[in-house]
Amino acid sequence: MRFDLLTIFPEFFAGPFDFGIIKRARQQGIVEIIIHDLRSFTFDKHHVVDDRPFGGGDGMVLKPEPIFHAVESILAEGSAEDPAGEVIVEQGRAEEKRAGVILLSPQGRLFNQSEARRFADEYSRMILICGRYEGVDERVAEHLITDEISIGDYVLTGGEIPAMALVDAVTRLLPNALGSETSALRDSFSTLACGLLDFPHYTRPAEFRGWRAPDVLISGHHGEVAKWRRRAALLKTLKMRPDLLEQAPLADEERRWLDELSREKC
C-alpha cells in the first residue's frame, strides 16, 4: 500500500510514522508513505492555496486548482511507475480501480473498522487530502475524490490527525503488518468480534491492590475462557456502545440475557 498525504503543513507528519507497527511496516516494504506539500502545486509566486468564500462568511477555503493539480500529478506519477495501475480520469474524477482519493472532512462518511477493511482490500494506493480552514472547495468533493471521510462527529483544525488515524487503521489490516495474523480479526468491531467491542484484558500480577483478575482466565480451561470472553464483550458493548448490539449477530439466548440485564439497569 502506498499512502500519499497532501497537506499545507508537511512538517506535521515528522515523527508519527516512525514508531511501532507503522515503522515496521515501512521498513518491511508493506507500506510507503509520501508527504506532499500542497503549496508546491501552485503556479503563483506566493504559493497561495486558499481564498475567501463566495457569498461571504468567516475564514478561508482551500482552492480547487492546486488540489486537482496535485492529485492528477501524483496519480500520473504512480501510473508511470506501475503500468498495471492505469489511471482513467472521466470528467475529472479519478476512476483507477486500485487508487483511492480520500478527502478528510467533518462532512464525510463516518470512518469505522469496516471502512478500514474495505480500503485495505480494495486499494493498493490512497491519496489523502487534508482539509484546513473552513474547508475545501466543493468541486473537489464533486469531481475528484472517490471517498469523503470523517473520523467522528466533531471538528478538528485540519485533516492531518484524521489522516494519521486512517493510515494507522488501514496499515494494521494489511498482510504481515502485525505480528499475529489473527490479531486484527479479534479487534473491536472486527469479524471475529462480530462487530462488538473487544473483551477486557488482564495480565500479571493476578492480584493488584486487592483487585483480582477473573479466576476463569487463570484456570487454563480454554472453553470456559472463550465463554467468559464472549459474555464480557457483550457486557462491555452494552455498557459503552449499546447501539452496536442492534446489528450484531447474536444468539437468541444472548439477546434474552442482554434484555434481562437492561431491565435490571432500569
Side-chain angles (χ1 to χ4, degrees):
M1 175 76 79
R2 169 170 162 169
F3 295 99
D4 292 274
L5 279 62
L6 190 58
T7 175
I8 61 172
F9 295 117
E11 61 274 15
F12 198 99
F13 297 99
F17 296 135
D18 293 329
F19 301 92
I21 290 169
I22 295 182
K23 177 182 179 180
R24 186 168 65 246
R26 295 178 71 186
Q27 292 173 336
Q28 295 175 351
I30 297 171
V31 297
E32 181 181 9
I33 302 174
I34 301 175
I35 313 300
H36 303 271
D37 187 346
L38 181 61
R39 298 185 191 279
S40 66
F41 294 94
T42 56
F43 297 99
D44 64 289
K45 64 179 181 180
H46 297 295
H47 303 292
V48 176
V49 296
D50 60 336
D51 208 334
R52 295 188 179 279
F54 286 136
D58 297 327
M60 305 291 280
V61 176
L62 288 179
K63 295 161 61 69
E65 302 100 321
I67 296 177
F68 271 80
H69 180 213
V71 170
E72 290 167 352
S73 298
I74 293 168
L75 284 174
E77 171 195 346
S79 180
E81 294 175 357
D82 181 11
E86 182 182 1
V87 177
I88 302 172
V89 177
E90 182 179 349
Q91 297 181 348
R93 180 178 293 274
E95 297 290 349
E96 184 188 13
K97 180 180 180 182
R98 298 176 61 214
V101 181
I102 318 298
L103 173 63
L104 287 314
S105 84
Q107 293 81 33
R109 186 171 63 253
L110 190 63
F111 185 62
N112 55 28
Q113 190 70 9
S114 62
E115 284 291 290
R117 170 54 67 186
R118 179 174 71 84
F119 289 157
D121 290 343
E122 291 185 8
Y123 297 139
S124 63
R125 183 175 192 180
M126 299 179 70
I127 299 175
L128 308 182
I129 303 170
C130 301
R132 274 275 162 177
Y133 308 129
E134 290 302 307
V136 176
D137 187 291
E138 187 64 17
R139 286 166 289 191
V140 171
E142 292 176 342
H143 303 292
L144 183 66
I145 65 170
T146 59
D147 305 88
E148 186 170 1
I149 293 295
S150 167
I151 64 167
D153 295 335
Y154 46 86
V155 179
L156 299 172
T157 54
E160 285 78 12
I161 290 176
M164 292 178 190
L166 190 149
V167 170
D168 190 292
V170 174
T171 295
R172 62 193 318 281
L173 294 176
L174 299 175
N176 303 316
L178 300 178
S180 168
E181 290 303 307
T182 61
S183 291
L185 297 178
R186 300 183 183 279
D187 285 340
S188 294
F189 318 110
S190 62
T191 303
L192 292 184
C194 299
L196 304 176
L197 298 183
D198 196 7
F199 51 77
H201 296 267
Y202 296 86
T203 188
R204 294 179 179 82
E207 186 170 336
F208 172 69
R209 294 186 177 180
W211 303 310
R212 184 167 177 79
D215 290 334
V216 64
L217 298 180
I218 309 170
S219 69
H221 194 298
H222 298 299
E224 293 301 317
V225 168
K227 290 179 182 178
W228 181 91
R229 285 177 168 172
R230 175 65 177 180
R231 285 215 161 188
L234 289 168
L235 279 172
K236 187 82 169 181
T237 306
L238 178 64
K239 179 181 178 182
M240 306 302 294
R241 290 290 305 277
D243 56 297
L244 296 175
L245 295 170
E246 296 176 6
Q247 302 297 325
L250 304 180
D252 291 340
E253 180 184 353
E254 291 175 332
R255 290 204 176 274
R256 286 194 296 270
W257 181 64
L258 288 171
D259 288 341
E260 292 174 5
L261 288 176
S262 298
R263 287 195 294 270
E264 289 176 6
K265 286 172 61 179
C266 295

